[in-house]
């Protein structure tokens, strides 16, 4: 570029700045929200999530915004670590001046941010973390959680598993940290309640992303089980499935598997997805309701891609906050929190209510069996399991909240 | 005169190489004993065995009547054995003076002090000592950039800081000009005689050996083949055959 | 018996995969002495490239193996290119400096891979003809496992022939032993190194491609593998290819054993809890028994150190005093200059500066490389966390628990570490850090596991951003001054003496090992203080404060600033921490930008930032 054209470019840029500034001043000051998630660390799950809330944002602003003001989301990477996430949360709150935050995926990030929210008295809607400590033992007034947690999803699978008469000897395989441990503990407890004859005869605890699948499959096989409960996901799941198939682990056995019906985790397996597994997930291709159809259509038009569970979570999360502010009639934090408690939001998968007792939403999940259709994993024989039927009752919640 | 060093039947093999085989050595206070021999004869190995850097396979080393075999070098140093290396070893990132100050700090057992500036400790003493080895002018140079002969002198100063009773000097004048050589050897012998220090040194320069050593021990392939006053050694036929031949002819 | 055989086969098959990647790393290290952090990234690139190429060629025998081989060669070329463009410029830099450049590459590759291949895991294609299982003694064994079991020894044999029967290989071995000699022989050392990088990188790529039939290509595989590969290389003895194979076998078999007996408990610890840490335990035990690994050669006593000799340390002169004073004034006035957000960024930066300075004390002054310095930072943080959670201590008291726990940790770990030297020592520190990490991760009742301990906030008087800034800042500045003073104290001089010449130090009555041990403890104490403050800054403690990535961050800060200057950690720590904080909030491409900046700084300032500042000052001084 020559000098002259540089000058021109600068002049043009300045002009744009000035005019847009003027335009901004005319419009209503936007309502700013802070959003952060593991966009670089766990892109497979979080990019669809971002598309989800982006769609919601556009819908809201097209419909005139919230309280007559446009909504603006300031989005950040959370660095996929608690310390980095706290720095980002602090940046959003202190520098950007937002006092409502949503997002996060990893449980330990969610837990750290929820405590930050309590300390700084800002609202935090933990969109995706699965740990139930967020709602119960570590719960606080400033933190809400949208996605159904480990306990609820394990309960759904336990219910299905209990129906299988000849599945008596169970083995479990789960990642070796809180998520896996809580899922296995809940599954064991709930299944034993329904089926006292069930025994658990073996367990495997691979490190997240570190599975030695051959050895793990061998060890499970050696316990000679009737059924397997799986909590591994991501590339661990792929490895587990491949080794299990080659070594015949799944032949004639029941497998119940957490999250494995969610497109983000199962679609990479393509035609190799295991058939017959009982899973929780999101059969976006088969949900036939007007609300979901309209969501699906809009989503596919906008992003030229199909939604994942994360998309749904992002979409509902932002709509929840928008509605809470609308209902509160203000953007003031305490009022929005008050309004979010007990609030019911219409969503593509039906109404979602944030319970007052633990500020956990009763968003449900889909339970069904995996199969492969046209080279892609699909859930069949599925049903929608509303979260309210699986969440512990108030008395139990109080007990859990008391414990640490 | 008291006996400072008494070595008996010293032996060391590296794998198949028997570097030192049954060497006896005796040293009195104030005496300078030259250990000579062709390359690879085992001289440096003897030094390493005496100051504890290597453990002998056999034999004893008594220093001031005390058996020192098995002690690490730092303990043997504490007993009063100073040493210079064939390939000079100093603290390259410190100035010459700081190198000597280190020696003083160790001598006074001040190494573990966490407070106070080491650069101020024993500064005067260090300067004085450098003066004695004619290094005063170079006190502030980094040891890493000193000329080879200066490093050797620095090593001598570091050894002297401890007031040693025995000095082990492995080729103290290697790499020096003849003039420099003579002056260093003269300096050394003056100091050791004044303070009654026993010196065991190796040297390839026969001028230096014959003009400064009180006694000479000759090593050949790990064995001591002669030990005596310079003129005796010079006449020794085995020595002439194995090593000194050319030198003997020259003189 | 049958089960045992099956376990053996599984273990040997996993060992094969590990060995392929490790062999490349050990070759690179053996010849160039470069600790290549990017080896995992090359492995990941191998996997992704192979997926794409096999897809392009459309499966079949030719398609699959063609894809694997092409991916391998492509990764080799990438490695060679990196060597030519970046590493070649910095061979003269101080020890370990090249590690920084490879770290920059790791960051860049992560983003580039995401950009090219997208976020979703790509399932690996199966190897045609090697898909099913076969019966051996009535046991089902995957055919591909059998292939891997045979393939690794084959590679081992090829490498052996290469290094023992070709002129190139013999030159490489000579270079491993004596670099000067090779240069003297008139061999062009540059191209020798490039060749080595090509070979090492190609092996990493091959490792990535060859594991596809058992798994996938994903964005985490680089960092998930790298620690294991380093362990294999070190346990085997750095530079020893056969050693790497034996070490891979040892580690894989022990792992299989633990997996098979997952529920077995010893002393309250279940076998599965040991699975991930087992390789680090093995490494620690092997190194304690054999300080140079199974088949490694004893490193030459470090009297002739590689790289340039350490510069002299000089007490602060007038300019430095004025600069320091000005900096202090700026720090004091900062709350009036910047907003409260930047103030918390500055607090974090100060904490990291102290952390980096404690590592610099160990590395620069003591000559002890540590790859696991986060252990003491994390122990400090957990000291605070435990004091608050279990004993409800107030901040004033809890902050004392930080250096205490860190110091005790350093006392124990250091005792073992100072028995080793060089990179082996560094890897032992890493092993201990991982052991500490896995205790924090698995001892849930005590530490809260991966969710950590929350609710660690300063009391009211210190809770405002400004007050906490002053509190943490004061502690950090005092800590920095202490560390600086220590470097000039008799103890600091003694450490430097041991670093400059262990031989001379020993012959001067200095117990080098004991002093290094004390240095370890001191560095641990200061790192612990930083960790304790960090816990209060973040309000929580989690195992990431003990993680490898934090240890690497510390290393990056020290090297970036200049390992041999006391002001280095101030530059490096502040720059890295502020840069990272700012980039994260600016862009989702923060990793590649940070990586590129690091590579650029490395090439521009091979003496580190402080080193560059000092030489600039020197030049200004002489021109005046
Ligand atoms: N650490 C060692 N390992 C193996 N062999 C060694 C070692 N040190 C010395 N040697 C061998 O022992 C023999 C004696 O070596 P030494 O260094 O003692 O000889 P020297 O008399 O000092 O020779 P120079 O005059 O060259 O210094 C030589 O053959 C040498 O190669
Ligand atoms: Mg010698």
């Amino acid at each position: 570029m020559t000098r002259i054209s540089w000058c021109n470019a600068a002049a043009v840029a300045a002009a744009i700045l000035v005019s847009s500034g003027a335009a901004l001043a005319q419009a209503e000051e936007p309502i700013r929200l802070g959003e952060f998630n593991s966009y670089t660390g766990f892109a497979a799950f979080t990019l669809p999530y971002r598309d989800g809330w982006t769609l919601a944002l556009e819908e809201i602003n097209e419909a005139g915004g919230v309280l007559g003001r446009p909504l603006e989301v300031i989005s950040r990477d959370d660095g996929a670590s608690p310390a980095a996430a706290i720095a980002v949360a602090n940046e959003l709150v202190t520098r950007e001046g937002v006092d409502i935050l949503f997002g996060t995926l990893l449980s330990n990030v969610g837990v750290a941010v929820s405590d930050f929210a309590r300390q700084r008295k800002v609202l935090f809607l933990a969109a995706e973390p699965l740990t139930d400590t967020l709602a119960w033992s570590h719960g606080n007034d400033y933190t809400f959680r949208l996605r159904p947690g480990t306990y609820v999803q394990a309960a759904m699978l336990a219910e299905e598993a209990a129906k299988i008469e000849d599945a008596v000897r169970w083995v479990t395989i789960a990642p070796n940290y809180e998520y896996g441990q809580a899922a296995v503990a809940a599954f064991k407890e709930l299944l034993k309640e329904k089926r006292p004859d069930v025994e658990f005869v073996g367990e495997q605890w691979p490190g997240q992303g570190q599975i030695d699948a051959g050895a793990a499959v061998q060890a499970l096989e050696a316990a000679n089980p009737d059924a397997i409960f799986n909590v591994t996901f991501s590339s661990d799941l792929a490895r587990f499935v491949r080794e299990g198939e080659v070594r015949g682990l799944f032949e004639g056995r029941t497998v119940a598997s957490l999250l494995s019906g969610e497109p983000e985790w199962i679609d990479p397996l393509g035609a190799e997805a295991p058939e017959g597994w009982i899973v929780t997930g999101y059969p976006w291709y088969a949900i036939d309701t007007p609300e979901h159809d309209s969501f699906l259509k809009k989503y596919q038009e906008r992003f030229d891609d199909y939604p994942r569970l994360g998309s749904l979570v992002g979409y509902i999360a932002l709509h929840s906050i928008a509605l809470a502010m609308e209902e509160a009639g203000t953007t003031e934090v305490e009022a929005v929190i008050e309004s979010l408690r007990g609030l019911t939001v219409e969503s593509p998968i039906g109404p979602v209510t944030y319970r007052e007792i633990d500020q956990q939403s009763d968003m449900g999940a889909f339970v069904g069996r995996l199969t492969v259709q046209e080279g892609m994993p699909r859930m069949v024989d599925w049903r929608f399991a509303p979260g309210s039927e699986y969440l512990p009752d108030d008395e139990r919640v109080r007990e859990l909240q008391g414990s640490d | 005169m008291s006996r400072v060093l008494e070595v008996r039947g010293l032996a060391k093999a590296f794998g198949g190489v028997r570097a030192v085989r049954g060497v006896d050595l005796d040293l009195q206070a104030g005496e300078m004993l030259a250990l000579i021999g062709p390359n690879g004869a085992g001289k440096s190995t003897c030094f390493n065995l005496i100051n504890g850097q290597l453990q002998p396979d056999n034999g004893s080393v008594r220093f001031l009547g005390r058996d020192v075999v098995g002690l690490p070098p730092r303990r043997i140093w504490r007993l009063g054995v100073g040493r210079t290396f064939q390939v000079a070893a100093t603290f390259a990132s410190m100035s010459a003076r700081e190198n000597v100050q280190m020696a003083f700090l160790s001598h006074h057992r001040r190494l573990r002090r966490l407070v106070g500036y080491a650069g101020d400790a024993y500064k005067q003493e260090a300067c004085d000592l450098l003066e004695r080895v004619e290094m005063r002018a170079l006190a502030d140079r980094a040891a890493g950039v000193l000329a080879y002969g200066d490093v050797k002198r620095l090593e001598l100063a570091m050894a002297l800081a401890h007031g040693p009773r025995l000095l082990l000097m492995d080729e103290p004048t290697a790499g020096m000009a003849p003039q420099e050589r003579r002056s260093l050897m003269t300096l050394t012998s003056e100091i050791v005689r004044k303070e009654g220090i026993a010196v065991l040194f190796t040297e390839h320069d026969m001028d230096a050996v014959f003009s400064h050593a009180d006694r000479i021990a000759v090593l050949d392939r790990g064995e001591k083949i002669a030990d005596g006053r310079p003129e005796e050694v010079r006449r020794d036929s085995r020595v002439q055959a194995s090593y000194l031949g050319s030198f003997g002819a020259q003189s | 018996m049958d089960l045992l055989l099956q376990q053996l086969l599984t273990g040997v098959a996993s060992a094969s995969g590990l060995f392929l990647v490790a062999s490349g790393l050990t070759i690179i290290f053996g010849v160039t002495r470069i600790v290549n952090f990017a080896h995992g990234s090359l492995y990941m690139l191998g996997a992704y490239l192979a997926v794409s190429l096999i897809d392009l060629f459309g499966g079949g025998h030719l398609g699959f193996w063609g894809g694997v081989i092409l991916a391998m060669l492509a990764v080799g070329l990438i490695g060679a290119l990196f060597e030519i463009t970046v590493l070649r410029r910095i061979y003269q830099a101080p020890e370990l400096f090249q590690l920084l450049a490879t770290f920059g590459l790791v960051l860049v590759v992560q983003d580039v891979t995401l950009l090219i291949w997208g976020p979703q895991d790509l399932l690996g294609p199966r190897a045609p003809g090697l898909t099913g299982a076969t019966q051996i003694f009535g046991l089902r064994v995957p055919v591909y496992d059998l292939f891997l079991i045979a393939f690794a020894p084959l590679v081992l044999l090829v490498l052996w022939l290469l290094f023992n029967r070709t002129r190139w290989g013999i030159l490489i071995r000579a270079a491993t032993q004596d670099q000067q000699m090779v240069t003297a022989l008139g061999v062009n050392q540059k191209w020798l190194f490039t060749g080595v990088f090509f070979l090492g990188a190609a092996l990493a790529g091959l490792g990535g491609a060859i594991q596809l039939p058992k798994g996938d290509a994903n964005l985490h595989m680089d960092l998930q593998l790298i620690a294991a590969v380093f362990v294999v290389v070190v346990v085997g003895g750095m530079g020893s290819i056969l050693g790497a194979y034996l070490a891979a076998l040892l580690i894989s078999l022990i792992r299989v054993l633990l997996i098979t007996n997952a529920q077995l408990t010893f002393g309250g610890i279940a076998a599965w809890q040991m699975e991930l840490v087992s390789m680090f335990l093995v490494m620690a035990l092997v190194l304690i028994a054999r300080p140079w690994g199974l088949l490694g050669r004893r490193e030459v006593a470090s009297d002739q150190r590689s790289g340039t000799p350490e510069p002299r340390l000089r007490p602060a002169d007038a300019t430095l005093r004025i600069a320091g004073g000005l900096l202090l004034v700026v720090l004091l006035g900062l709350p009036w200059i910047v907003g409260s957000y930047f103030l918390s960024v500055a607090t974090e930066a100060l904490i990291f500066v102290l952390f980096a300075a404690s590592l610099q004390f160990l590395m620069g002054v003591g000559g002890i490389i540590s790859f696991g310095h986060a252990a003491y930072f994390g122990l400090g943080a957990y000291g605070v966390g435990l004091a608050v959670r279990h004993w409800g201590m107030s901040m004033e008291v809890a902050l004392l628990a930080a250096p205490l726990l860190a110091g005790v940790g350093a006392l124990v770990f250091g005792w073992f570490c100072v028995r080793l030297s060089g990179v082996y020592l560094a890897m032992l520190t890493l092993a201990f850090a991982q052991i500490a990490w896995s205790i924090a991760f698995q001892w849930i009742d005590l530490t809260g596991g991966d969710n950590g301990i929350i609710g660690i906030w300063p009391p009211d008087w210190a809770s405002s951003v400004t007050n906490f800034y002053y509190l943490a800042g004061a502690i950090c500045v005092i800590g920095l001054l202490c560390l600086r003073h220590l470097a000039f104290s008799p103890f600091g001089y003694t450490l430097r003496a041991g670093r400059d010449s262990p031989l001379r130090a020993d012959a001067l009555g200095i117990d080098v090992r004991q002093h290094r041990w004390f240095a370890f403890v001191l560095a641990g104490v200061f790192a612990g203080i930083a960790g304790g403050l960090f816990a209060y800054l973040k309000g929580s403690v989690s195992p990431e404060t003990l993680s490898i990535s934090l240890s690497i961050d510390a290393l990056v800060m020290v090297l970036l600033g200049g390992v041999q200057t006391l002001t280095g950690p101030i530059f490096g720590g502040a720059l890295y921490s502020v840069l990272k904080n700012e980039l994260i909030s600016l862009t989702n491409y923060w990793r590649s930008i940070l990586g590129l900046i690091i590579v650029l700084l490395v090439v521009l300032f091979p003496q580190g930032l402080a080193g560059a500042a000092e030489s600039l000052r020197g030049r200004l001084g002489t021109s005046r």
Side-chain angles (χ1 to χ4, degrees), chain A residues 347-364:
Chain A
S347 88
I349 56 166
V352 169
T353 303
Y354 291 88
R355 311 204 308 174
E356 286 189 42
I357 178 143
D358 51 8
Q359 313 197 137
Q360 162 72 43
S361 95
D362 68 353
M363 178 179 172

Side-chain angles (χ1 to χ4, degrees), chain C residues 217-242:
Chain C
N218 66 69
L219 294 166
H220 296 278
M221 57 196 293
D222 53 346
L223 296 182
Q224 263 151 8
L225 187 82
I226 190 74
V229 174
F230 267 102
V231 168
V232 167
V233 167
V234 165
V235 169
M238 307 193 77
S240 164
I241 302 172
L242 182 61

Side-chain angles (χ1 to χ4, degrees), chain A residues 168-172 199-204 215-228 249 253, chain C residues 3 6-7 259-260 262-263:
Chain A
V168 179
R169 290 168 60 83
W170 282 80
V171 289
T172 64
E199 341 167 48
F200 285 88
V201 294
E203 47 192 47
Q204 281 295 313
V217 164
Q218 237 167 52
L220 293 178
E221 175 85 53
N224 195 21
D226 305 325
I228 301 158
L249 175 67
R253 291 189 174 120
Chain C
L3 191 64
Q6 204 176 19
Q7 285 169 21
I259 292 173
T260 312
Q263 270 109 309

Side-chain angles (χ1 to χ4, degrees), chain A residues 39-44 47 50 76-77 79 81-84 86-88 90-91 94-95 107-108 111-112 115-116 118-119 131 133 138 176-178 181 201-212 214-216 218-219 222 234-235 238-239 242-243 246-248 251 263-264 267-269 272 308 404, chain C residues 3 6-7 10 14 43 111 114 119-121 123-126 131-133 140 142 145 211-216 218-220 224 252 255-256 259-260 262-263 272 275-276 340-341 344 348 389 441-442 444 450-452 454-458 463 465 534 537-540 542 544 581-582 584-585 588 590-591:
Chain A
Y39 293 118
T40 56
F42 293 86
L47 295 184
R50 181 162 63 195
R76 300 274 187 264
D77 186 38
S81 91
I86 293 296
V88 171
N90 181 44
E91 191 258 341
T94 319
R95 182 156 69 181
S107 290
N108 54 7
V111 168
D115 198 51
F116 170 88
R118 184 182 62 83
Q119 174 75 6
T131 178
T133 59
H138 290 330
N176 64 355
Y177 61 101
E178 198 254 7
Q181 286 161 351
V201 294
E203 47 192 47
Q204 281 295 313
W205 301 100
Q208 159 69 51
Q210 310 265 349
I211 194 171
D212 186 340
Q218 237 167 52
S234 196
S235 72
R239 283 167 193 272
R242 280 198 155 174
E243 287 292 331
V246 176
R247 292 167 191 261
E251 284 166 19
E264 34 275 83
D267 285 2
L269 269 81
E272 287 189 39
R308 320 295 204 272
D404 187 36
Chain C
L3 191 64
Q6 204 176 19
Q7 285 169 21
T10 311
S14 347
Y43 163 79
D111 268 359
L114 173 60
Q120 201 162 58
D121 299 353
L123 195 68
R126 300 246 192 186
T131 49
R140 239 174 161 176
D145 277 17
Q211 61 84 42
L212 284 174
K214 290 177 82 73
D216 58 7
N218 66 69
L219 294 166
H220 296 278
Q224 263 151 8
S252 300
R255 217 178 139 188
V256 170
I259 292 173
T260 312
Q263 270 109 309
W272 64 264
E275 184 200 329
L276 288 187
S340 87
Y341 167 67
S344 50
E348 184 164 334
R389 175 177 154 152
F441 190 79
Q442 312 256 18
I444 296 169
D450 67 310
N451 282 350
I454 57 171
I456 307 167
W457 298 104
S463 68
V465 178
F534 189 72
L537 177 72
K538 297 292 173 185
S540 59
S542 77
E544 67 157 334
N581 259 318
E582 279 302 296
I584 282 192
S585 38
N588 281 352
W590 62 271
R591 290 182 305 192

Side-chain angles (χ1 to χ4, degrees), chain B residues 12-15 17-20 35-48 54 86 170-171 202-204 219 221-222 243:
Chain B
K12 177 78 185 176
F14 299 105
V17 184
R18 293 169 66 191
V20 175
L35 189 61
I36 63 171
N39 288 114
K43 305 180 296 287
S44 296
T45 306
C46 277
F47 276 40
N48 290 341
L54 290 173
Q86 183 169 353
D170 203 346
E171 305 197 9
T202 70
E203 194 47 77
H204 282 293
L219 277 189
R221 269 166 267 150
Y243 179 51

Side-chain angles (χ1 to χ4, degrees), chain C residues 407-425:
Chain C
V408 170
L411 197 72
V412 176
F413 297 162
W415 190 84
F416 293 100
C417 291
V418 295
R419 263 136 244 277
L420 310 185
S421 61
V423 175
Y424 290 97
L425 191 164

